[in-house]
């Protein structure tokens, strides 16, 4: 049963920010409620007040912003992203990812902002957005600040968002020309057991830039610095991909849980890493002869 709470429905960002500041950390932002409400019912989250942000104009929707970046409002549901013609055209990997989040009921109510702010380790979008170098806009009574997705996720269910801040915007830069994007996941439960995102740019047949991120196996999405160093400057080949995958196995920081051992998670990360890197290279126009 839900414990009693105050309910607020602000109609502007300024009003929401003022409420968050006045009510303090006991108040919770309420978007789709797919994480929040079940946890409140189970007594695992005690919120003295809910600030329902669904009446604030401008927090939903998808548009193309500066430098062709995709701008996604935090209230946009997974389902809306999955079906968005803009996302399908400009970032089909994100649309495909969203089509496999949870089930259609959760996708229809759950928002991308709620997913990111909750920072559950098995988040699909978090992993891809870190690889894509997305930026998040946070708003409070003190003003507006931007933070890189990579710096936003700080630990298990922890982010750099202060309790009085609201996630107000998500900007995903358009991948540079010559880039390939790939996202690979493995799931047997509701949420992924492991996932790897790779964004790789080729120049003159060699890797000029890359970001490889492993999600779901640890407490937060993690960039694989060693795999990235090995790939940078390399020409696409089975050997280069296999070496990078082995670097992922060594570097990833899995946590033990009731479902999978840390060794198994390392194996999943290495296998998905190999597939994601091969796919990103192929999409970037490389000559990978890797047999996926
Ligand atoms: C059965 C099930 C299966 C799932 N499977 C997957 C999966 O396969 N992959 C995956 O990635 N996810 C999965 N999820 C997670 C799902 O994506 C999230 O539940 C959903 O996106 C959360 O969004 P919401 O709007 O419901 O958030 P809410 O429940 O409303 O909020 C979640 C948290 O974020 C805070 N919050 C929300 N919006 C903001 C904001 N704009 N600013 C600041 N704080 C905010 C809230 O205060 C709360 O702490 C699954 C969830 C369920 C229940």
């Amino acid at each position: 049963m839900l414990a009693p709470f105050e309910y607020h429905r602000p109609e502007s960002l300024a009003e929401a920010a003022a409420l968050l500041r006045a009510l303090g950390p006991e108040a919770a932002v309420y978007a789709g409620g797919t994480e929040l409400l079940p946890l409140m019912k189970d007594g695992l989250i005690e919120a003295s007040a809910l600030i329902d942000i669904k009446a604030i104009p401008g927090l939903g929707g998808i548009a193309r912003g500066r430098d062709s970046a995709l701008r996604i409002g935090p209230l946009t549901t997974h389902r809306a992203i999955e079906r968005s013609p803009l996302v399908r055209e400009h970032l089909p990997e994100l649309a495909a990812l969203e089509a496999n989040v949870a089930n259609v009921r959760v996708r229809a109510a759950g928002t991308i902002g709620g997913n990111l702010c909750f920072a559950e380790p098995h988040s699909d979008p978090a992993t891809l957005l870190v690889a894509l170098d997305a930026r998040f806009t946070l708003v409070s009574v003190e003003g507006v600040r931007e933070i890189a997705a990579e710096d936003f996720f700080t630990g298990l269910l922890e982010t750099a968002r202060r309790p009085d801040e609201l996630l107000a915007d998500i900007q995903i830069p358009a991948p540079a020309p010559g880039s390939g994007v790939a996202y690979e996941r493995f799931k047997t439960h509701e949420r992924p057991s492991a996932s790897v995102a790779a964004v790789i740019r080729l120049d003159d047949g060699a890797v000029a830039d890359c970001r490889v991120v492993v999600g779901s196996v640890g407490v937060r999405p993690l960039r694989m610095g060693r795999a990235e160093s090995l790939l940078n400057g390399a020409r696409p080949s089975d050997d280069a991909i296999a070496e990078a995958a082995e670097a992922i196995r060594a570097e990833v920081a899995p946590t033990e849980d009731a479902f999978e051992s840390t060794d198994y998670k390392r194996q999943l990360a290495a296998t998905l890493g190999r597939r994601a890197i091969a796919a990103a290279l192929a999409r970037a126009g490389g000559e990978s002869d890797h047999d996926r």
Side-chain angles (χ1 to χ4, degrees):
M1 210 177 89
L2 278 170
F5 56 85
E6 285 176 26
Y7 175 78
H8 299 269
R9 196 172 165 89
E11 291 181 1
S12 70
L13 263 181
E15 197 189 335
L19 278 167
L20 273 174
R21 174 57 67 91
L23 297 170
E26 302 299 306
V29 174
Y30 167 36
T34 61
E35 300 285 21
L36 192 59
L37 297 184
L39 291 171
M40 285 175 69
K41 280 184 190 155
D42 290 344
L44 296 170
I45 289 184
E46 284 175 23
S48 57
L50 290 191
I51 302 175
D52 183 344
I53 57 174
K54 290 189 284 296
I56 302 177
L59 281 189
I62 301 170
R64 291 257 274 167
R66 276 175 285 137
D67 301 327
S68 304
L70 267 184
R71 201 234 112 214
I72 302 184
L75 266 181
T76 314
T77 62
H78 298 292
R79 186 90 172 123
I81 299 172
E82 166 196 345
R83 294 161 68 101
S84 156
L86 260 186
V87 178
R88 286 184 178 190
E89 182 184 349
H90 297 289
L91 203 46
E93 299 80 7
L94 177 61
L97 172 158
E98 290 287 5
N100 279 302
V101 163
N103 53 59
V104 73
R105 285 191 307 161
V106 171
R107 289 202 295 281
T111 65
I112 188 162
N115 179 299
L116 300 172
C117 290
F118 193 56
E120 208 278 341
H122 304 89
S123 162
D124 285 295
T127 306
L128 182 60
L129 293 193
V130 171
L132 287 164
D133 202 13
R135 297 190 71 78
F136 303 156
T137 304
L138 297 167
V139 170
S140 72
V141 288
E142 278 160 33
V144 177
R145 70 176 174 122
E146 265 199 18
I147 184 166
E150 188 177 351
D151 301 325
F152 184 73
F153 304 100
T154 52
L156 180 68
L157 306 175
E158 279 177 12
T159 69
R161 180 183 78 86
R162 296 195 317 261
D164 67 341
E165 286 179 315
L166 194 79
L167 176 63
D169 196 25
I170 298 156
Q171 294 200 30
I172 310 171
S179 300
V181 178
Y183 179 73
E184 294 282 336
R185 93 187 101 193
F186 177 80
K187 68 173 178 176
T188 52
H189 320 296
E190 275 169 342
R191 305 181 195 225
S193 300
S195 57
V196 180
V199 180
I200 302 180
R201 182 170 68 83
L202 289 176
D203 187 18
D204 209 11
V207 175
D209 256 326
C210 69
R211 291 169 75 95
V212 178
V213 179
V214 173
S216 296
V217 300
V219 294
R220 65 189 175 93
L222 214 56
R223 272 183 82 179
M224 296 288 104
R226 272 190 250 166
E228 291 179 4
S229 306
L230 286 168
L231 286 168
N232 273 321
R235 294 196 168 266
S237 70
D238 277 357
D239 285 349
I241 294 168
E243 230 188 317
E246 282 315 302
I248 290 175
R249 186 197 301 278
E251 189 170 7
V252 76
T255 44
E256 188 88 46
D257 61 35
F259 300 108
E260 292 108 5
S261 69
T262 53
D263 276 354
Y264 181 54
K265 288 184 177 183
R266 282 185 195 282
Q267 173 63 31
L268 286 178
T271 302
L272 296 175
R274 179 172 51 74
R275 291 183 190 167
I277 292 165
L281 283 169
R283 288 172 194 162
E287 293 296 313
S288 170
D289 54 358
H290 188 75
D291 178 14
R292 297 180 66 214

